[in-house]
Amino acid sequence: MTSQEEQLLPQHVAIIMDGNNRFAKKNQMQKGDGHREGKNVLDPIVEHCKKVGIRALTVFAFSSENWNRPQYEVDLLMKLLEETIHEQLPRMEKFNIALRFIGDRSRLSNELRDLMQYAEQKTAAYSSMTLTIAISYGGMWDMAQAAKMIAQDALAGKLQADQINVDLFDKYVSLNDLPAVDLLIRTGGDYRLSNFLLWQAAYAELYFTDTLWPEFTIEELDHAFRVFSGRERRFGKTSEQIQQAKIEN
C-alpha cells in the first residue's frame, strides 16, 4: 500500500464472518468443519490489520440469536472459542495486541468466562491494536444494557434526565473507548447487519462480498480497504462542503 492509501485506511474495522456452514457443504465436509476452517482464517487477517496500522478490529463470532442453532453446533462453537483464546494469547503478546470480548456473558460457562477475563487482563496493556471478539452479542442487547445502566445512574442521582443525549449514551455502549466503526465487512453473500454493532457502526461504510469466510483472503481485505478509500464520507454534509474542507486544509 502507498502512504497515501495508508492515510485513508479505516481506524476501526468490523467483520461479520459468515459462510462457514455453506463452505463445508460446498466442499462436502463434515458438520462443523467449516467453523474450524473459518477459525484459521482469522490469524492472517489480524496480522495484516496490525501491519497496515488498523487501530481496532472487531469480529462477530457468535450472536445472541446463534443460541437458537442446533445444540451440537453451539457446543462446537463454544469449544472453538476456547481454543481460539488459548491460541491467541501468545500471538497477542508477540504482536502487542489487546484482546477483548463483548456480549452477554451470562449464558456462557464459568470456565469460558474465567478464560475470557484472564485473556483480557493478560493483554490489557498491549497497545498496537485492539482485537475484539463479539460472543453472545447483539446490537439491540448492547443498547438495552446501556439504557439500563443510564437508568441505574439516574436513580442513584449520578445524572439528570436532561443530561441524556447521544454523547452520554455513547459512553455506556460497548467499545466506547475505541473509534467508531469506519468499515463493516460482511462475507457470505447476505446483505444485512444481523444486529451487529448497530450503534457503533451508525456511519460505517459497508462492504458486502459473496466470498465465504473460510475463503476470505488478505487480498480481498486490501480490496475492501481500497473501496473504503474511494468512498466520500459526508456525515450529513454535502459533497461541496467536503470538497471545500479539503481545499481549506
Side-chain angles (χ1 to χ4, degrees):
M1 284 193 168
T2 67
S3 58
Q4 182 182 11
E5 284 175 320
E6 287 175 354
Q7 292 174 3
L8 299 173
L9 283 172
Q11 292 187 76
H12 190 167
V13 177
I15 305 178
I16 299 174
M17 307 179 294
D18 197 19
N20 292 338
N21 283 335
R22 279 169 286 160
F23 174 83
K25 194 174 295 184
K26 170 185 168 184
N27 291 281
Q28 298 181 322
M29 302 167 76
Q30 298 210 358
K31 289 181 177 179
D33 285 350
H35 292 302
R36 292 188 180 91
E37 291 292 324
K39 181 170 76 75
N40 297 330
V41 172
L42 185 59
D43 288 350
I45 298 298
V46 172
E47 286 181 33
H48 190 64
C49 284
K50 192 263 182 185
K51 178 182 176 182
V52 300
I54 304 300
R55 282 186 57 192
L57 172 64
T58 302
V59 296
F60 207 7
F62 191 88
S63 75
S64 304
E65 292 74 27
N66 285 155
W67 289 108
N68 297 318
R69 292 200 170 192
Q71 190 60 47
Y72 77 86
E73 187 174 354
V74 171
D75 292 342
L76 173 64
L77 288 167
M78 293 297 114
K79 181 174 180 290
L80 290 177
L81 176 64
E82 191 172 325
E83 289 177 7
T84 297
I85 297 172
H86 283 296
E87 291 169 4
Q88 290 300 328
L89 277 173
R91 291 172 53 77
M92 297 297 100
E93 182 175 6
K94 177 181 177 182
F95 293 106
N96 192 33
I97 297 173
L99 180 60
R100 290 194 201 172
F101 304 91
I102 55 172
D104 180 6
R105 304 190 188 192
S106 65
R107 298 184 68 176
L108 305 177
S109 69
N110 290 333
E111 293 78 14
L112 184 53
R113 289 203 298 264
D114 289 345
L115 179 60
M116 291 161 66
Q117 185 177 3
Y118 171 77
E120 288 176 323
Q121 293 172 344
K122 179 81 172 174
T123 65
Y126 300 158
S127 58
S128 69
M129 191 178 84
T130 298
L131 170 63
T132 303
I133 300 177
I135 178 81
S136 189
Y137 176 85
M140 291 186 287
W141 167 87
D142 196 352
M143 289 188 281
Q145 286 296 111
K148 181 179 178 180
M149 288 186 285
I150 289 171
Q152 289 171 339
D153 282 350
L155 287 171
K158 296 179 181 179
L159 57 87
Q160 301 299 316
D162 58 6
Q163 293 178 265
I164 301 172
N165 55 25
V166 171
D167 292 335
L168 183 129
F169 195 92
D170 190 64
K171 292 179 172 65
Y172 286 81
V173 295
S174 301
L175 308 181
N176 54 68
D177 60 328
L178 296 177
V181 176
D182 300 299
L183 172 64
L184 191 149
I185 298 168
R186 180 172 187 143
T187 64
D190 285 330
Y191 294 79
R192 55 178 175 265
L193 298 181
S194 293
N195 196 20
F196 185 45
L197 298 177
L198 300 179
W199 179 273
Q200 298 86 342
Y203 261 100
E205 297 298 321
L206 307 180
Y207 177 89
F208 296 103
T209 175
D210 290 335
T211 303
L212 304 175
W213 173 246
E215 299 172 327
F216 191 73
T217 62
I218 289 172
E219 289 73 25
E220 184 161 6
L221 179 61
D222 278 336
H223 175 70
F225 289 159
R226 288 192 293 272
V227 170
F228 173 85
S229 296
R231 301 262 181 95
E232 183 180 70
R233 309 191 73 205
R234 296 191 294 274
F235 297 98
K237 297 180 180 179
T238 66
S239 294
E240 290 75 13
Q241 287 175 299
I242 299 299
Q243 293 305 317
Q244 184 62 36
K246 288 181 179 178
I247 293 170
E248 292 173 356
N249 290 331

